[in-house]
Amino acid sequence: MNTNRVRKFNSIPLSVLDLAPITDNGDAGQSFKESVELAQHVERWGFNRYWLAEHHNMPGIASSATSVLISHIAGNTNHIRVGSGGVMLPNHATLVIAEQFGTLESLFPGRIDLGLGRAPGSDQATAYALRRTLNMGPNDFPMQVNELQDYFSKDPVSRVKAVPGQGLDIPIWLLGSSDFSARLAAQKGLYFSFASHFAPAYTIPALKLYRDNFQASETLQKPYAMVGVNVIAAETDEKARYLASSHQLQFLNIRKGLATKLQPPINNIDEIWSPMEKAAVEESLDPRTTIIGSPETVKRGLAAFQEATQADEMIISSQIYHLEDRLRSYEIVAELMD
């Protein structure tokens, strides 16, 4: 399959969220090689965008230097949009992000997205190590977004200019797992992406809030919402459930406060977790937003989720241990596109 156009599922684009997983027998270098292979693979299959998420102090996620990795992926692909899902803006000086993404847009014109989150992407100790102060926090996020928009404007108010950055058309997305960013994205007329892949309970309320309160802007005349969904697809439901155990183990270890790399799949996860732990993991990995199964099962799940959310786009995360299984999972999803 080779295409330069974006293919769609039920008339909407599908995109990819890559957490650059580090497996238990691998390292960051291997993770980056696999991310390049995955990006090239999904580009050929017609996915719309490829996003990387900022996390820190997590042995199983290699995308901490998000801007650097975006450049690496964009440099090894041809036309797919590449961006952040997201950059955790309170961790950074706003000017630095403006310059970094101004540089990326200058290197790869028309291909860069800037998704912004307001969480630290880790724990408080790591946030302090990143910032050297906790005076700047999530509540300052709206001010930072304003600063960033000013740096990118053609005629900025600030005496300090983002070079490169000034005057560049870089789409800004606000990311959220609650109602805060939904309100801010609506108020500012920006793109909105909701983390329904790990906060399923708040998805519909956040989308409704965003759409009901949306104010048109120079960026957008009408709301545009993307939702996250976990998909683990295989030839059979049984194999998909087996592959999904790696993702479930990852969430289980997070719940236990254990920092681990991505673990290989196991045959019976019920031997590992208690009923209480299982319930806690399944609260985050809700079947509506964590779709596990054969092509037909995945098709039904994606269609139901799109109908429920009326999303303009879906972004898919697939935490699968073996690269070949990860590639095949995205290939199965691509085969469902028109």
Side-chain angles (χ1 to χ4, degrees):
M1 181 67 192
N2 195 346
T3 179
N4 286 334
R5 70 183 179 90
V6 174
R7 300 164 70 228
K8 298 181 178 181
F9 175 83
N10 286 359
S11 300
I12 70 166
L14 299 182
S15 293
V16 174
L17 176 63
D18 180 15
L19 298 183
I22 302 175
T23 60
D24 71 328
N25 63 351
D27 56 22
Q30 176 188 327
S31 173
F32 299 148
K33 289 177 183 177
E34 292 185 353
S35 288
V36 167
E37 190 168 342
L38 177 60
Q40 292 171 339
H41 184 73
V42 297
E43 180 177 63
R44 288 192 296 269
W45 279 97
F47 285 80
N48 188 32
R49 64 185 90 240
Y50 191 97
W51 279 9
L52 297 133
E54 177 185 347
H55 292 84
H56 300 278
N57 196 29
M58 294 187 179
I61 298 178
S63 52
S64 55
T66 315
S67 301
V68 178
L69 192 50
I70 288 170
S71 182
H72 183 56
I73 297 297
N76 281 280
T77 50
N78 297 310
H79 57 83
I80 193 169
R81 297 194 66 89
V82 187
S84 58
V87 160
M88 301 298 111
L89 194 53
N91 291 341
H92 309 278
T94 311
L95 176 62
V96 171
I97 297 304
E99 291 172 339
Q100 287 178 354
F101 279 79
T103 299
L104 288 167
E105 176 64 21
S106 299
L107 288 168
F108 309 103
R111 294 183 57 202
I112 301 301
D113 296 325
L114 175 50
L116 301 172
R118 68 187 189 101
S122 189
D123 54 66
Q124 286 295 93
T126 307
Y128 179 77
L130 285 163
R131 306 172 196 173
R132 305 310 303 169
T133 175
L134 293 179
N135 291 334
M136 178 69 75
N139 292 332
D140 297 295
F141 184 65
M143 178 190 70
Q144 286 190 283
V145 174
N146 289 342
E147 290 176 352
L148 196 55
Q149 288 183 299
D150 185 60
Y151 285 133
F152 288 144
S153 69
K154 293 179 180 177
D155 187 20
V157 173
S158 174
R159 292 174 56 192
V160 179
K161 313 303 179 189
V163 182
Q166 182 179 342
L168 295 182
D169 183 17
I170 304 171
I172 293 177
W173 292 70
L174 298 192
L175 281 54
S177 57
S178 66
D179 63 354
F180 186 97
S181 290
R183 292 181 187 277
L184 187 60
Q187 175 190 329
K188 298 183 72 61
L190 294 174
Y191 297 93
F192 178 56
S193 182
F194 191 78
S196 34
H197 57 299
F198 65 80
Y202 301 101
T203 302
I204 302 301
L207 293 176
K208 185 177 189 307
L209 192 155
Y210 170 64
R211 291 170 177 143
D212 288 350
N213 294 278
F214 184 85
Q215 300 176 32
S217 67
E218 291 183 7
T219 300
L220 278 178
Q221 290 300 302
K222 60 181 183 178
Y224 190 99
M226 180 165 65
V227 291
V229 56
N230 300 304
V231 174
I232 297 174
E235 305 305 329
T236 65
D237 288 343
E238 182 181 19
K239 182 175 180 181
R241 286 193 292 268
Y242 168 71
L243 297 178
S245 61
S246 294
H247 194 189
Q248 293 165 328
L249 285 169
Q250 185 179 51
F251 265 73
L252 176 61
N253 287 331
I254 290 171
R255 291 278 181 175
K256 289 181 173 181
L258 302 175
T260 62
K261 295 181 177 182
L262 188 65
Q263 301 297 303
I266 57 176
N267 286 315
N268 187 2
I269 194 169
D270 286 331
E271 296 177 350
I272 303 296
W273 57 18
S274 69
M276 185 176 297
E277 289 169 337
K278 179 180 180 180
V281 171
E282 289 182 344
E283 183 179 356
S284 295
L285 301 182
D286 187 293
R288 293 169 296 178
T289 58
T290 298
I291 302 168
I292 301 166
S294 65
E296 188 58 38
T297 300
V298 169
K299 182 178 181 179
R300 287 197 304 269
L302 287 175
F305 189 50
Q306 181 189 352
E307 182 178 359
T309 61
Q310 294 297 300
D312 299 290
E313 188 168 344
M314 288 190 280
I315 188 164
I316 293 170
S317 175
S318 298
Q319 286 290 83
I320 298 174
Y321 184 83
H322 293 292
L323 176 62
E324 59 268 29
D325 293 323
R326 207 180 319 156
L327 296 176
R328 180 57 185 147
S329 182
Y330 279 108
E331 189 175 308
I332 287 171
V333 172
E335 289 168 345
L336 303 177
M337 295 194 275
D338 53 23

